[in-house]
Amino acid sequence: MKIKKNLVAATAAVLAAGMALAGCGSSNGGSGDVQKTADGKVKITMWHGFSEADGKTLESIVDDFNKSQDKYEIDAQLQPWSTIGETMVTKVTTGDGPDFVTTGADNGQGWSIDGTFQCVSDFYADKNNGTGDYLDNVVKQITFNIDGEEEKCAVPMGYAPTSVWYNTDMWKAAGLTDKDIPTTWDQLLEVAKKLTKSDGSQYGLAMADSGWAAYMKGNGTGLYTTDGKVSINSKENKAFLQKMRDFYNGGYAVPGLDDTAARESFESGQSAMVIVGPWEDQAATDKGINHDTFAVPDGDGTYKYADGKTGSNTGSTGLYWWVTSQVGDSEKLPGIYEGPVSLSV
């Protein structure tokens, strides 16, 4: 295996930020009684979707925090990313959701607008929290118009470029070379066609459905505009979604995959390519898959940001920490402020 070192170095870089969170001060004061452990600690529930080595790192951070003081107990619960996406609103509404959670900016925008998440502008107002070290473009991703006010609604957890990982043995068997590495979605489709076997034993691409939101920011108008308006029905989004449909209708990509299933498809040899973050390198190595990587095709720059500029947003996976509205201004907040909400992978 000959990995392109400059790209892998980039994909391995993660922005670790924010050892604390502060809420905007939800007026509801939380959803009810605060649970405590048998030894009197305030129980704080955290959801995350890290099932690999990064999950063990997070668990270690949580364990260290829990042992470091006697006021709070973080209960870190592993949830499939799909479960987080499908159940968040219902769980928080009934008070059975997490107190804080990690998810992307696209999910977070909708949940901040509808009140599932409470914003964290107060955190940014206190420069002692180190917010001056955050990259402007990272913070812009979670700066939304909430009820006519500009609010910062999350704290950066980690940023890692997403890339296309491909099975080099399958690539070579299909007659492909470095000259065939695609730089557009149309070219990626053509490569996927060549990597697909007509008998159904091999697909060209494994692609998680949850990635569509980010792709539409690079090639369309995104799920929401920066001022909170739903934009999924725009002509740019429709055109790109039709292009995505071509992967599935032609049998070149496996439909209905979440992140875990997409990776399993690649690591089992069912699919020749997968779009995922840098953690795939070690996973594919462990499974004996000879592999290399190239950049996710860039978008056409149709997404409009808050400052009026247009650009692409298909090349990275960004995760943030979000406080749910069931916390309000309850005594859980100080624990979340101090808690292990930073992960460097």
Side-chain angles (χ1 to χ4, degrees):
M1 178 183 68
K2 183 180 179 182
I3 293 290
K4 297 173 179 62
K5 297 298 182 181
N6 59 337
L7 184 54
V8 170
T11 59
V14 173
L15 172 65
M19 287 301 293
L21 280 176
C24 289
S26 173
S27 60
N28 63 9
S31 62
D33 295 335
V34 172
Q35 290 185 329
K36 294 190 176 182
T37 62
D39 54 359
K41 290 186 175 183
V42 174
K43 184 178 179 180
I44 301 171
T45 302
M46 177 183 75
W47 278 10
H48 70 92
F50 301 109
S51 59
E52 302 291 339
D54 45 11
K56 295 180 180 179
T57 301
L58 179 58
E59 290 174 2
S60 177
I61 295 173
V62 171
D63 289 342
D64 288 344
F65 172 76
N66 287 340
K67 294 174 182 177
S68 70
Q69 44 70 51
D70 58 7
K71 294 182 179 180
Y72 311 102
E73 185 80 16
I74 303 293
D75 178 16
Q77 299 181 3
L78 173 63
Q79 302 280 353
W81 294 113
S82 57
T83 298
I84 292 175
E86 293 167 1
T87 67
M88 181 63 64
V89 175
T90 300
K91 290 291 187 180
V92 171
T93 300
T94 60
D96 297 322
D99 297 311
F100 68 113
V101 61
T102 181
T103 191
D106 293 291
N107 283 339
Q109 182 176 13
W111 290 333
S112 297
I113 292 170
D114 70 15
T116 303
F117 290 158
Q118 60 185 61
C119 294
V120 294
S121 294
D122 288 355
F123 175 76
Y124 288 86
D126 186 351
K127 298 306 179 184
N128 291 327
N129 288 325
T131 55
D133 295 331
Y134 295 170
L135 298 177
D136 288 342
N137 64 307
V138 173
V139 176
K140 284 181 180 179
Q141 294 292 316
I142 49 80
T143 303
F144 310 131
N145 185 304
I146 308 295
D147 296 329
E149 298 290 335
E150 184 177 272
E151 299 277 9
K152 295 177 175 62
C153 297
V155 169
M157 180 212 180
Y159 252 72
T162 301
S163 60
V164 183
W165 298 85
Y166 64 97
N167 185 312
T168 54
D169 294 332
M170 293 179 177
W171 188 271
K172 183 177 180 180
L176 298 169
T177 69
D178 284 351
K179 294 181 179 179
D180 296 299
I181 291 175
T183 58
T184 69
W185 282 92
D186 287 333
Q187 292 172 358
L188 181 60
L189 176 60
E190 293 306 311
V191 168
K193 291 179 181 180
K194 294 179 180 179
L195 288 167
T196 299
K197 293 186 176 180
S198 58
D199 61 3
S201 62
Q202 179 178 307
Y203 290 86
L205 178 66
M207 178 170 49
D209 293 345
S210 59
W212 291 4
Y215 306 150
M216 283 194 287
K217 266 194 175 180
N219 300 272
T221 59
L223 295 176
Y224 301 90
T225 62
T226 54
D227 59 358
K229 296 180 180 178
V230 177
S231 61
I232 192 168
N233 287 327
S234 70
K235 63 178 182 180
E236 294 88 352
N237 279 348
K238 290 179 179 179
F240 181 67
L241 287 173
Q242 179 58 56
K243 187 175 299 184
M244 299 286 282
R245 182 181 293 174
D246 292 340
F247 281 88
Y248 300 111
N249 286 349
Y252 313 122
V254 187
L257 300 182
D258 61 14
D259 290 311
T260 300
R263 293 181 57 196
E264 289 175 349
S265 180
F266 177 71
E267 292 162 16
S268 68
Q270 180 190 44
S271 295
M273 298 184 292
V274 65
I275 301 178
V276 73
W279 44 89
E280 185 57 41
D281 185 27
Q282 187 61 54
T285 299
D286 292 343
K287 296 294 175 60
I289 302 293
N290 294 321
H291 59 283
D292 208 331
T293 187
F294 57 83
V296 175
D298 204 7
D300 58 12
T302 54
Y303 181 77
K304 184 175 288 188
Y305 293 90
D307 59 5
K309 295 180 180 178
T310 58
S312 176
N313 186 36
T314 61
S316 67
T317 296
L319 292 173
Y320 297 81
W321 290 109
W322 310 76
V323 177
T324 68
S325 58
Q326 70 181 38
V327 172
D329 56 4
S330 72
E331 57 184 310
K332 293 180 181 181
L333 272 176
I336 297 176
Y337 300 162
E338 300 174 19
V341 292
S342 175
L343 173 62
S344 178
V345 183

